[in-house]
Amino acid sequence: MRRDNQSSVSEFILLGLPIRKEEKGMYYALFLVLYLTTVLGNLLIILLIRLDSRLHTPMYFFLSHLALADISFSSVTAPKMLMNMLTQSQSISYAGCISQEFFFFLFGGVDSFLLTSMAYDRYVAICHPLQYNIIMSHILCVLLVILSWVLSAAGSLVHTLLLAHLSFSRDNTLHHFFCELPSLLKLSSSDTTNNDLVILIVGSMVVTLPFMCILVSYGRIGATILRAPSIKGIYKALSTCGSHLSVVSLYYGAIIGIFFFPSSNNTNDKNIVVTVLYNVVTPMLNPFIYSLRNRDMKGALRNLLKTLLKLSTS
């Protein structure tokens, strides 16, 4: 069906972040630094994992894919937001808006599934250490990554197809810095019952179910530690799970804040601020969390710096 039959809107107006005009320059510089840090930091993680053979383990295999997903996740919204702030243009085309929505759900879903795979990896490492190499085989790791992408793409495609069949003829102003699905549904003059139902079903599949699996994994880890409590066991759990738990808390904490405790007014600034947190800030923090709290990553970084120093002096 042609888009012209579905909507008379050729573009949407993004009102952007709730900041004053005179502060745009300062916030532009801040978000540019955050985005560049996200890209460079996560690229560094991928590089370290590729170069250091000691990091060729299931945990770091998942982490490298998580870093790639984080770069992509931020790149869906941040460049357009920065461009609009710089040029004072607030428009985004209809096709651009639909595409942005597809990739936002795609990479967000991949993030969620990869965090779940990493939690399962930690569960096997602590609760079944003797069988770790057998259970967490390379084939299983690859299958979990492929499954993450396939399930995320399927859920994202359903959202996008239903969104493309809605009509937008009343208003084209979005009170957000990107094409957020709930904001788009508010503007539609069509019946959005199916869209709301799919949000509930896909949201349960992509967010709630993985989060419950993570809770179960760490519940089992906690129970294993408590059965034979020791300083060594607690230290091992914290050293192997601390970084992942920090990322999980940031990612799901922000999502739960938006979708489970929504504000009564869709234009409320709180939703926009929290969205910035999990879409821009959290992917930027991941490299710092994994590099500062992880001994193996710090060792790989030191080795890389030593190699670069030798090359520069030779």
Side-chain angles (χ1 to χ4, degrees):
M1 192 175 293
R2 292 171 53 194
R3 181 175 63 81
D4 292 338
N5 293 336
Q6 296 298 320
S7 175
S8 59
V9 173
S10 61
E11 66 178 15
F12 291 95
I13 304 300
L14 301 173
L15 295 186
L17 300 171
I19 55 179
R20 292 193 292 268
K21 211 170 188 178
E22 59 272 17
E23 296 176 338
K24 276 193 175 181
M26 178 183 68
Y27 279 99
Y28 174 81
L30 172 63
F31 285 112
L32 178 61
V33 170
L34 290 178
Y35 177 63
L36 291 177
T37 304
T38 298
V39 174
L40 296 176
N42 283 289
L43 282 176
L44 179 61
I45 283 182
I46 296 172
L47 179 65
L48 291 176
I49 293 173
R50 293 282 294 178
L51 293 178
D52 197 318
S53 59
R54 292 173 300 177
L55 300 181
H56 294 173
T57 63
M59 180 67 177
Y60 295 107
F61 175 74
F62 293 132
L63 178 57
S64 64
H65 284 274
L66 180 68
L68 177 61
D70 280 339
I71 293 172
S72 305
F73 190 44
S74 284
S75 298
V76 171
T77 59
K80 180 60 180 176
M81 177 185 70
L82 291 169
M83 186 187 303
N84 287 356
M85 292 175 71
L86 184 64
T87 63
Q88 305 300 316
S89 170
Q90 297 176 303
S91 65
I92 181 171
S93 67
Y94 177 89
C97 194
I98 299 295
S99 300
Q100 191 180 63
E101 195 61 45
F102 173 81
F103 288 110
F104 180 84
F105 279 108
L106 171 63
F107 297 123
V110 171
D111 256 12
S112 182
F113 287 121
L114 286 176
L115 288 174
T116 308
S117 299
M118 293 168 76
Y120 177 70
D121 174 80
R122 293 302 83 202
Y123 158 72
V124 176
I126 293 176
C127 300
H128 303 283
L130 299 179
Q131 298 174 299
Y132 179 78
N133 290 329
I134 298 174
I135 297 175
M136 297 304 298
S137 64
H138 182 67
I139 294 177
L140 177 63
C141 294
V142 172
L143 286 176
L144 287 174
V145 170
I146 292 174
L147 191 63
S148 299
W149 284 96
V150 170
L151 291 177
S152 300
S156 183
L157 186 61
V158 172
H159 278 305
T160 305
L161 291 176
L162 287 175
L163 181 62
H165 280 78
L166 296 180
S167 177
F168 299 91
S169 56
R170 294 199 306 258
D171 188 12
N172 69 336
T173 303
L174 290 168
H175 296 270
H176 222 292
F177 66 91
F178 78 107
C179 293
E180 186 202 32
L181 183 57
S183 299
L184 285 168
L185 297 184
K186 291 278 186 179
L187 295 183
S188 176
S189 55
S190 305
D191 181 14
T192 61
T193 303
N194 290 335
N195 300 78
D196 294 330
L197 181 61
V198 168
I199 288 176
L200 180 63
I201 296 173
V202 176
S204 297
M205 181 187 74
V206 176
V207 177
T208 308
L209 184 59
F211 184 57
M212 294 302 295
C213 291
I214 291 173
L215 292 180
V216 170
S217 296
Y218 279 103
R220 295 282 184 88
I221 290 172
T224 299
I225 296 171
L226 291 176
R227 277 200 295 268
S230 66
I231 299 298
K232 184 179 179 181
I234 294 173
Y235 176 77
K236 179 183 177 182
L238 289 176
S239 63
T240 57
C241 302
S243 300
H244 183 249
L245 271 175
S246 301
V247 174
V248 168
S249 300
L250 285 170
Y251 182 80
Y252 285 102
I255 292 177
I256 290 171
I258 288 181
F259 294 103
F260 290 88
F261 301 99
S263 57
S264 57
N265 189 343
N266 190 57
T267 64
N268 195 289
D269 295 345
K270 185 203 76 171
N271 287 350
I272 300 177
V273 172
V274 177
T275 304
V276 170
L277 175 64
Y278 81 82
N279 185 238
V280 179
V281 178
T282 300
M284 184 270 298
L285 291 176
N286 286 359
F288 293 101
I289 291 172
Y290 281 106
S291 60
L292 294 176
R293 296 178 60 97
N294 191 292
R295 183 175 57 189
D296 295 332
M297 289 296 294
K298 286 188 286 188
L301 181 59
R302 281 194 297 268
N303 291 337
L304 177 62
L305 292 176
K306 288 179 183 177
T307 302
L308 292 176
L309 185 61
K310 287 180 181 178
L311 291 175
S312 62
T313 55
S314 60

